[in-house]
Amino acid sequence: MNAHQEDGHLVITARKEDLIGSDGIPRHYTSARLNTKGLFSQAYGRFEARIQLPTGKGIWPAFWLLGDDIDTNPWPKSGEIDIIENIGDPHTIYSTLHGPGYSGTQPISSKFPLPPGESVTTGYHLYSVEWAPNDIKFFFDDHLIVERTPADLPPALTGSMTTPSSSSSTWL
């Protein structure tokens, strides 16, 4: 099993092992993810996790929220809030928003170089987002990384998404 509890911590492990996925594609590594779909849904509030991340070639650890209406409102319309993503560099993290008109290769993203001497791999850090009707604030160890508002949306969308639907995890 690639996810288990150990000394009060959730441990997710990547393993080099062959697996043919449900899509029929062979893969050479396995890992785990936690999916709260159907178990937890909330618009607004503070979402946080204390995480020590791995780094290495080919991995992309992340902590993110996805709209709970994904089945009827496919991504990116359902929205996505990436609280933290790490793409190989243990000294840099990203916080990103995805939605219609700002997804895939054109998200609303912030690159955050960690303070000197800090690394995602050397200890646990607190990654969090505070989400309110008209702003989203991203934090690293309770230090504000970036604040986003509807004014940060692409010009064609600004002003049209100032409040989320009751069943979505972003302004959409």
Side-chain angles (χ1 to χ4, degrees):
M1 180 174 263
N2 293 61
H4 68 279
Q5 286 190 357
E6 184 177 301
D7 299 325
H9 297 102
L10 171 65
V11 177
I12 298 175
T13 304
R15 293 192 173 93
K16 185 173 181 161
E17 60 186 355
D18 291 330
L19 173 79
I20 296 177
S22 59
D23 56 6
I25 298 173
R27 295 187 170 80
H28 304 293
Y29 293 87
T30 63
S31 184
R33 68 178 176 172
L34 304 179
N35 186 343
T36 61
K37 183 177 174 184
L39 302 173
F40 175 82
S41 177
Q42 178 177 327
Y44 311 134
R46 182 175 172 102
F47 301 84
E48 66 181 26
R50 202 163 104 16
I51 304 170
Q52 181 175 359
L53 295 173
T55 59
K57 184 178 180 182
I59 64 171
W60 192 329
F63 170 42
W64 47 281
L65 309 174
L66 187 62
D68 67 0
D69 60 347
I70 187 83
D71 291 336
T72 58
N73 203 16
W75 189 93
K77 291 179 183 178
S78 61
E80 180 180 331
I81 301 171
D82 295 321
I83 299 169
I84 188 274
E85 295 178 285
N86 178 256
I87 310 167
D89 177 358
H91 306 287
T92 304
I93 59 173
Y94 297 83
S95 297
T96 306
L97 298 174
H98 299 275
Y102 56 103
S103 61
T105 61
Q106 306 222 335
I108 299 170
S109 188
S110 290
K111 179 179 179 180
F112 180 72
L114 301 186
E118 296 287 346
S119 168
V120 298
T121 64
T122 56
Y124 286 88
H125 295 283
L126 185 65
Y127 302 97
S128 54
V129 68
E130 290 179 359
W131 176 26
N134 288 303
D135 88 351
I136 298 176
K137 295 175 184 164
F138 295 89
F139 296 88
F140 171 79
D141 287 338
D142 281 331
H143 300 286
L144 181 65
I145 294 173
V146 67
E147 180 175 3
R148 297 295 186 187
T149 70
D152 293 306
L153 294 174
L157 302 173
T158 300
S160 65
M161 299 182 184
T162 58
T163 57
S165 69
S166 61
S167 63
S168 181
S169 73
T170 188
W171 287 308
L172 310 173

